[in-house]
Amino acid sequence: MNQPLSTDWRTKAATLTLDARAFIDGQRVNAVNGETFAVISPIDGKTVTQSARCKAEDIDLAVKSARVAFESGAWSKQAPAKRKRVLVKFAELIMKNKEELALLETIDMGKPIKNALAADVGGAANCIAWYGEAIDKVYDEIAPTPHNALALIRREAMGVIGAIVPWNYPMLMASWKIGPALAAGNSLVLKPSEKSPLTAMRLAELAMEAGLPSGVFNVVPGFGHEAGEALALHMDVDAIGFTGSTRVGRKMLEYSGQSNLKRVFNELGGKSANLVFADFSDLDRAAATAAGSMFYNQGESCNAPSRLFVQESVADAFVEKVLAQVPRFTPGDPLDSSTTLGAMVDQGQQRTVLNYIESGNSEGARLVAGGTAAREDSGGFYVNPTVFDGVKNDMKIAREEIFGPVLSIIRFKDEADAVKMANDSSYGLHAAVWSSNIDRAHRVAGALRAGTVHVNQYDEDDITVPFGGYKQSGNGRDKSLHAVEKYTELKTTWIRLSMQ
Ligand code: NAD
């Protein structure tokens, strides 16, 4: 009865059945050539199962199945209200299986179980239910043409959508594609990251259980240069919804050019600027949010506010406030429900983060917290939350996305200085301004080149608002009804009317 929850989750984890076969044409299948790759948990560095290693021939089978399902109309021609019922049921099944899904996510990529449960599973279910609920409430248009003709402007399902997603929020990033793509009537081939394949196939199974016809939702685990490349180059895929690094986003555009000019929607990296002005009335809250939003999910968030700009007149005091928050994020066992900072996704990512820390040190930034690996006895891949003060905006740690728990603090003189440095980045995903002067807050929010700007907060997030970036942070928008635009074609139908 008084058993600690950590033991509880470990026990539950031990009883899980891990099935990492692909999901093609409504069934679990091995890769055609039988190849697999090891799924390693970053919690302790141990192999937990083998995943199917899909390659071009598997992708081809999945795309063919998706195309046949699309042409059959079993899903694509269903009334929106029917699609709604299936998607809402799908979301309910996600919630019914929430503990299993949260455990799979935590074991696979190392995030704290309490976050996996609340934010990832809950967020995925909410997303899919929201698109299901929305789709039978969306009207098309009739154009204001001359009265002897009628022009209908309609959005039609596109066909076969390829979704390629990263490992940092595996289920949630997949859901941001699954929800709008399926709600609009498309078929889908999803490629999860090779670092976190487990939940994607379970989602497809649950969708079938909810009533989705076979072939509408296929999942092809595998490596980027094999499964991902084959999907993005496939001649019968109509669009790619990609979330991942800017480096691979560039390749998506190339693959499109080399194949059928499929639509490409890129949701890419970030180096988000968080601007704290001396006139903000609650610097304690600003500091708690600066640290919390940075270290959440081990800093492995595309929109992590990794460049913290602080006005010089309050900088010393503010840095102290940020440092006081750091112990809240001491790395712990991801399966312990009190843990707030888990493992980095794999050893490679841990090494990358430690290399960036080394670069910060050698470029002359001042290390004021962390800077080292943690929990080394566990066999897993942990990094202590790290803060650099005295960072210059042209240092490598301020220019490149680290994707780990490393915060760079940069001091600024005045508003113009702050905005100039904040915008001096190849990325433009999120940004924030903290100021009690409404004119300044509004002016700076307008001047910041980012897809989302937060004013006096960083935590608000909702499925109703678009999420995506300016500049090299991408060109698409996930979430909200705008995401449906990505997975539909706009068709005009002219009808000549006899005025007799
Ligand atoms: P990544 O680009 O390495 O991989 C993303 C996906 O692309 C994976 O499934 C991978 O297997 C696949 N891939 C890799 N090489 C490929 C290739 N040559 N052809 C086809 N597919 C290929 O990114 P990652 O390390 O998995 O994820 C981290 C990145 O994702 C960060 O840059 C982060 O900012 C970004 N991200 C962006 C958003 C957003 O909404 N903007 C959200 C989450 C993560």
Side-chain angles (χ1 to χ4, degrees):
M1 177 105 169
N2 290 327
Q3 210 177 23
L5 275 171
S6 53
T7 314
D8 206 19
W9 285 111
R10 282 227 158 264
T11 309
K12 285 179 179 167
T15 62
L16 277 183
T17 313
L18 302 181
D19 183 350
R21 287 175 298 162
F23 193 86
I24 298 176
D25 204 27
Q27 297 181 54
R28 287 286 199 156
V29 289
N30 292 315
V32 170
N33 65 11
E35 281 187 49
T36 60
F37 64 90
V39 179
I40 296 167
S41 175
I43 295 177
D44 53 11
K46 293 197 175 124
T47 298
V48 292
T49 189
Q50 296 288 322
S51 170
R53 179 171 178 170
C54 291
K55 294 189 175 172
E57 58 268 33
D58 306 286
I59 306 309
D60 200 41
L61 288 176
V63 173
K64 282 198 171 105
S65 164
R67 178 61 64 189
V68 168
F70 183 76
E71 297 298 340
S72 79
W75 179 251
S76 54
K77 297 274 188 288
Q78 279 291 356
K82 170 76 193 304
R83 295 204 293 266
K84 169 178 78 175
R85 283 196 289 280
V86 172
L87 291 175
V88 169
K89 178 85 196 298
F90 177 19
E92 285 166 5
L93 289 174
I94 291 175
M95 289 312 284
K96 199 170 153 198
N97 293 277
K98 64 183 179 195
E99 290 199 348
E100 179 202 350
L101 289 165
L103 276 168
L104 291 177
E105 208 80 314
T106 291
I107 290 167
D108 222 0
M109 60 70 65
K111 70 173 65 199
I113 186 74
K114 74 171 174 197
N115 297 350
L117 198 57
D120 295 78
V121 180
N126 181 51
C127 169
I128 285 165
W130 190 84
Y131 283 103
E133 291 284 1
I135 204 67
D136 68 345
K137 297 161 191 76
V138 180
Y139 289 71
D140 286 321
E141 301 165 41
I142 295 177
T145 56
H147 63 282
N148 63 341
L150 183 64
L152 311 178
I153 304 169
R154 303 192 55 213
R155 288 214 163 261
E156 292 190 334
M158 209 173 235
V160 177
I161 308 298
I164 301 178
V165 296
W167 47 260
N168 59 337
Y169 298 93
M171 217 180 334
L172 198 57
M173 293 303 103
S175 302
W176 290 3
K177 318 291 185 203
I178 297 167
L182 292 188
N186 296 287
S187 294
L188 184 67
V189 179
L190 168 66
K191 196 208 82 69
S193 169
E194 59 275 24
K195 298 178 185 179
S196 59
L198 297 177
T199 44
M201 282 80 81
R202 273 302 281 144
L203 286 180
E205 279 180 335
L206 294 174
M208 285 272 297
E209 197 182 324
L212 197 74
S214 302
V216 174
F217 182 4
N218 305 274
V219 187
V220 285
F223 290 91
H225 65 283
E226 296 174 348
E229 181 175 312
L231 184 58
L233 279 171
H234 202 288
M235 293 298 287
D236 204 25
V237 170
D238 297 291
I240 288 284
F242 175 75
T243 301
S245 62
T246 297
R247 181 184 67 80
V248 178
R250 278 182 218 288
K251 286 185 186 262
M252 293 297 143
L253 297 168
E254 288 170 19
Y255 296 146
S256 169
Q258 288 162 20
S259 57
N260 59 346
L261 287 180
K262 56 179 69 64
R263 313 278 190 271
V264 172
F265 300 102
N266 274 331
E267 313 290 344
L268 309 176
K271 194 74 198 175
S272 298
N274 188 10
L275 277 54
V276 178
F277 286 89
D279 65 20
F280 185 60
S281 60
D282 188 353
L283 291 175
D284 288 318
R285 185 165 70 80
T289 305
S293 301
M294 180 63 234
F295 298 133
Y296 184 78
N297 211 46
Q298 301 73 245
E300 296 164 329
S301 297
C302 52
N303 60 340
S306 51
R307 289 184 301 150
L308 173 57
F309 292 92
V310 187
Q311 195 154 22
E312 276 173 2
S313 55
V314 291
D316 286 340
F318 194 77
V319 171
E320 287 309 313
K321 290 180 195 296
V322 170
L323 292 180
Q325 297 291 325
V326 172
R328 279 172 54 209
F329 300 94
T330 301
D333 177 359
L335 287 170
D336 183 327
S337 57
S338 64
T339 292
T340 50
L341 191 100
M344 308 307 301
V345 70
D346 63 8
Q347 194 166 23
Q349 189 63 17
Q350 183 196 39
R351 203 174 302 125
T352 299
V353 173
L354 293 173
N355 285 344
Y356 274 113
I357 292 170
E358 180 48 39
S359 146
N361 285 326
S362 63
E363 280 196 281
R366 206 162 54 254
L367 183 69
V368 288
T372 50
R375 307 193 78 238
E376 287 174 279
D377 294 348
S378 67
F381 316 117
Y382 301 81
V383 175
N384 280 308
T386 297
V387 180
F388 280 106
D389 193 5
V391 176
K392 303 285 174 234
N393 200 39
D394 58 0
M395 288 179 181
K396 193 170 165 183
I397 54 169
R399 302 211 73 77
E400 297 182 14
E401 185 182 42
I402 298 174
F403 228 52
V406 182
L407 178 63
S408 293
I409 302 180
I410 301 169
R411 297 167 182 234
F412 67 86
K413 277 192 186 50
D414 56 23
E415 188 180 311
D417 187 29
V419 169
K420 186 163 179 262
M421 284 196 286
N423 284 339
D424 180 13
S425 168
S426 59
Y427 295 110
L429 193 53
H430 279 215
V433 47
W434 299 77
S435 170
S436 292
N437 175 334
I438 183 141
D439 296 322
R440 163 173 284 157
H442 197 65
R443 193 166 57 231
V444 173
L448 289 170
R449 304 277 301 150
T452 298
V453 180
H454 303 269
V455 176
N456 299 342
Q457 66 90 36
Y458 209 88
D459 308 313
E460 285 299 330
D461 186 25
D462 200 84
I463 191 67
T464 55
V465 297
F467 187 106
Y470 282 26
K471 300 192 272 184
Q472 292 180 38
S473 289
N475 60 356
R477 293 292 182 273
D478 277 331
K479 306 188 357 190
S480 83
L481 283 181
H482 291 286
V484 177
E485 293 162 15
K486 298 193 293 189
Y487 306 119
T488 49
E489 288 284 14
L490 202 54
K491 177 180 274 184
T492 301
T493 308
W494 276 104
I495 303 173
R496 183 62 174 262
L497 300 177
S498 165
M499 298 316 290
Q500 297 293 328

